[in-house]
Amino acid sequence: PVPDNFTIHGLWPDNKSIRLNNCDPNLNYRIIPEGEKRFNLDKRWPQLENTKQFSLAKQPFWEKEYKRHGTCCKNLYNQATYFDLAMNLIDKFDILTILRHEGIIPGTYYVIKNVEDAIKKVTHQLPKLNCV
């Protein structure tokens, strides 16, 4: 099912000049076991490329994102903490609420700059938006 709110694609560390990728792709990914943490992660960061059952069992998207990006900050955040940080950021910056506060609601067309400005007002960063 399509999420009813914005989600994230990934959490990408950088070194203040470039985005870091594939720092330790051979690091073992540990499947997140069934329970509250996996439920909360799936709610905030759904794996949309496969069926829900397959995604939760095999976790291919989370594994790919962790190996590609999470391993670049493994000295600061282990795998569990990396995913906790992602969930905390999603909760801190609830994009749908931010937009609604600025009068921007789903189902209507807006100038991209207005959407960017609304998000930047709260996050203090210009978002990278893709229109589909």
Side-chain angles (χ1 to χ4, degrees):
V2 176
D4 61 358
N5 200 342
F6 288 89
T7 67
I8 64 169
H9 174 79
L11 177 60
W12 303 320
D14 64 45
N15 68 359
K16 297 186 181 183
S17 62
I18 61 169
R19 187 178 303 153
L20 303 172
N21 289 300
N22 299 311
C23 296
D24 189 356
N26 295 319
L27 188 69
N28 287 332
Y29 173 82
R30 292 179 312 283
I31 294 287
I32 300 166
E34 190 171 340
E36 185 177 356
K37 183 167 190 153
R38 188 171 85 176
F39 173 83
N40 289 331
L41 186 59
D42 183 56
K43 181 180 175 187
R44 290 168 177 82
W45 196 351
Q47 304 173 85
L48 302 174
E49 295 175 344
N50 299 291
T51 66
K52 184 174 183 123
Q53 182 180 7
F54 179 85
S55 293
L56 291 176
K58 302 295 182 183
Q59 304 176 7
F61 183 69
W62 293 339
E63 178 177 8
K64 179 181 84 172
E65 289 301 301
Y66 180 70
K67 285 185 172 186
R68 183 175 292 163
H69 304 295
T71 59
C72 295
C73 59
K74 68 181 181 181
N75 294 339
L76 296 172
Y77 307 108
N78 64 26
Q79 179 182 314
T81 308
Y82 171 79
F83 286 113
D84 287 343
L85 178 61
M87 287 191 290
N88 289 337
L89 288 171
I90 293 167
D91 291 345
K92 181 177 180 180
F93 298 116
D94 181 339
I95 301 299
L96 196 56
T97 299
I98 290 168
L99 294 174
R100 281 187 183 137
H101 186 263
E102 294 298 314
I104 299 171
I105 56 171
T108 308
Y109 294 93
Y110 298 94
V111 175
I112 291 174
K113 180 162 179 13
N114 294 351
V115 175
E116 290 174 337
D117 289 346
I119 294 169
K120 186 177 179 182
K121 186 185 284 187
V122 174
T123 65
H124 307 288
Q125 297 292 320
L126 188 64
K128 179 181 175 186
L129 300 178
N130 293 319
C131 295
V132 179

